[in-house]
Structures are given as C-alpha cells and as structure tokens.
C-alpha cells in the first residue's frame, strides 16, 4: 500500500497532527490478534477532532515533540488517550517489577485496556532489519507478544487493584511502521495492507533508479530525520534537494517528493537505503 496517497494527508497540514493521524490510522505493520482497531481508537468523533486540531494547532501541548521516534509516538498516543472524547488515560509506563513495564493503561468506551505501542521500519531482501542491524522484525514481533502478556501477570494484577481497577484488563497493540523491499512488495511476515517502500543497499543506486522512472520525473528527495518517519512528508522546497546534490548518506530513509498545488512538496513514495 502506498501510504502517501491516502487522501487524509492531502487535507491535514500541521506536521504533529499528521503524525498523530498516522499513529491512529495507519495499518498495522504485522498482524497481531490484539491489534486495536480504528473505530476503537477514533471513536465516533475522532476524524472531526483531528481536523479541529489541524485547524487550531495551538491546542496541541508543547511537550509532544521528542527527538527519539519511540518517545515521540508515545507522547502522541498519550495525548490522544487523555484528550479524545471517548478515552481516558489512566497510567503510562507502568513498571511491573521485575518483568518490565506496560506502555499505557487507558479506558476506551468504558473498558480498561493495557496498550502496547511500537513504530518500526524494517528493510532488506530476505531478513527484515532496521537501520540498527540488531533490530529485526522477528525479534520485535516476539517481544510484543511477551509485553502484551505483562498485564495478566500476578504482579501486575496487584498494581491494578492498587489503582482501583477491578477485573482483567483487555490487551491491545498499536503496531505501526513501514516495510522496505527491492520491489516494494509486502513479505508474508507483514500485514497485507502494511505501508511499504523501496529498499536499496546504497543511496546512489536509489538515485539512479529514480532517474529512470517516468513517474518520478521532476521529483526531489527529502532525507527524513528519525522522528519524521510517522507520516508522509509535506515539506517546503527548502527542505528538499535535487537527486544530484543530495549527500550520499550511508544509510537512512528518504521521501521521494513531488510538488502539489498547495505550494508544498508531498511524499509520493519512500525508500530505505542500508548496507545488505
């Protein structure tokens, strides 16, 4: 699925709201039986609330931004759970010694959930790795399965009782990200609707390939900072570079951008480049 073509991103303008929309609405990177659905996250008025935030960004807290992608995504989801009409954030980063911690405890439509969030970006040809080669899809999927069991442990049950929460918590995951492959095909390990992009083993090969694609005629490149992965890029001309002038970084994720009538350059496709 080409995530950049979702019409929602043609409407939303503010970068934080665009990122928030991706945390809420993007398809899961891989399938998990506990995946929290769009209707659960959005409620009856979620789209309207997103549009209102985009039109009135002063309502966004100043502390949301964070240089680390994982913390930034957590801040966005925490903000939503604490402010959306149908949700209430009860706790965040709840330590369950000596086992680990639960990302969020929240009430959604009067039911209490333990929610685990992850946003991951994997690429390759046969083994799906992040820019940190020790970070693999297989390892993260296994870890999420372990984390989502934490709230059921007897140590956690004692914590919930102390918080005044009775009964078992429902378990839920929010799994976001991109998969990058040589032909932008979705591997069997990922969800069929996962957001995908192109994978190359160096930036020069990516630039040469783009030059041969009529679809990308007139395109420019935008190297993405680590905390700018969540939503499709919408950037000013000054934030882009020509393919000839772009620095040949050793590894990273970049957006292939094209101009739109609003005066901004919008992501059409995305690519990861890293050594095989």
């Amino acid at each position: 699925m080409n995530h950049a073509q979702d019409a929602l991103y043609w409407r939303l303008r503010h970068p934080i709201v665009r990122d928030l929309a991706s945390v809420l609405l993007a398809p899961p990177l891989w399938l998990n039986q506990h995946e929290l659905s769009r209707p659960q996250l959005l409620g009856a008025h979620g789209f309207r609330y997103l549009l209102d935030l985009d039109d009135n960004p002063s309502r966004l807290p100043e502390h949301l931004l964070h240089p680390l992608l994982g913390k930034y995504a957590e801040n966005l989801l925490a903000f939503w759970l604490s402010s959306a009409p149908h949700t209430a954030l009860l706790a965040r980063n709840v330590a369950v010694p000596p086992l680990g911690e639960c990302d969020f405890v929240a009430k959604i439509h009067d039911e209490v959930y333990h929610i685990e969030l992850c946003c991951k970006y994997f690429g390759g040809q046969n083994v799906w790795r992040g820019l940190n080669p020790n970070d693999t899809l297989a390892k993260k999927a296994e870890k999420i399965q372990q984390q989502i069991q934490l709230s059921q442990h007897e140590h956690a049950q004692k914590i919930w009782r102390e918080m005044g929460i009775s009964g078992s918590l429902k378990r839920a995951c929010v799994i976001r990200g991109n998969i990058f492959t040589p032909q932008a095909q979705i591997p069997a390990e990922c969800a069929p609707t996962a957001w995908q992009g192109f994978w190359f083993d160096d930036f020069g090969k990516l630039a040469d390939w783009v030059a041969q694609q009529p679809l990308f005629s007139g395109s420019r490149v935008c190297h993405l900072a680590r905390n700018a992965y969540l939503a499709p890029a919408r950037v000013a001309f000054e934030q882009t570079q020509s393919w000839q002038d772009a620095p040949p970084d050793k590894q990273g994720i970049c957006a292939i951008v094209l101009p739109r009538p609003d005066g901004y350059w919008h992501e059409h496709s995305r690519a990861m480049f890293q050594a095989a």
Side-chain angles (χ1 to χ4, degrees), residues 5-188:
Q5 302 308 304
D6 191 318
L8 177 66
Y9 298 106
W10 298 16
R11 165 62 175 84
L12 297 177
R13 301 178 300 274
H14 195 280
I16 292 179
V17 179
R18 291 167 65 86
D19 290 341
L20 174 60
S22 294
V23 170
L24 299 174
L25 298 171
L29 181 56
W30 68 84
L31 295 177
N32 184 293
Q33 63 177 323
H34 301 295
E35 181 67 28
L36 203 56
S37 70
R38 279 188 176 188
Q40 289 171 303
L41 277 169
L42 281 179
H45 307 289
F47 275 112
R48 192 178 307 164
Y49 185 36
L50 279 173
L51 294 175
D52 182 62
L53 287 171
D54 193 57
D55 293 336
N56 302 279
S58 61
R59 298 179 182 177
L60 295 167
E62 295 181 359
H63 70 269
L64 292 179
L65 285 172
H66 196 286
L68 298 179
L69 176 66
K71 293 297 184 183
Y72 177 40
E74 285 185 10
N75 288 347
L76 291 171
L77 185 54
F79 164 70
W80 182 265
L81 293 172
S82 63
S83 64
H86 67 298
T87 63
L89 179 62
L90 303 180
R92 178 179 174 182
N93 302 133
V94 181
V96 184
L99 305 171
E101 67 177 28
C102 300
D103 284 352
F104 302 97
V105 177
K107 185 177 290 187
I108 302 177
H109 292 307
D110 297 323
E111 292 187 297
V112 180
Y113 287 81
H114 159 213
I115 303 171
E116 289 294 321
L117 169 68
C118 77
C119 300
K120 287 294 181 177
Y121 300 81
F122 297 114
Q125 300 184 74
N126 297 301
V127 178
W128 319 115
R129 300 183 182 277
L131 294 175
N132 173 356
N134 295 320
D135 187 17
T136 68
L137 190 154
K139 288 180 181 177
K140 188 59 183 179
E142 182 180 1
K143 185 174 181 180
I144 283 288
Q145 283 297 107
Q146 296 171 353
Q147 288 176 300
I148 203 63
Q149 305 301 326
L150 270 182
S151 56
Q152 309 302 304
H153 196 277
E154 60 180 341
H155 294 333
Q157 296 293 329
K158 181 176 182 293
I159 294 171
W160 310 144
R161 289 193 295 271
E162 291 173 350
M163 291 175 58
I165 300 172
S166 59
S168 297
L169 277 66
K170 288 182 173 292
R171 289 168 287 173
C173 295
V174 177
I175 300 170
R176 301 291 182 256
N178 291 82
I179 187 72
F180 299 89
T181 65
Q183 291 80 38
Q185 297 174 338
I186 298 177

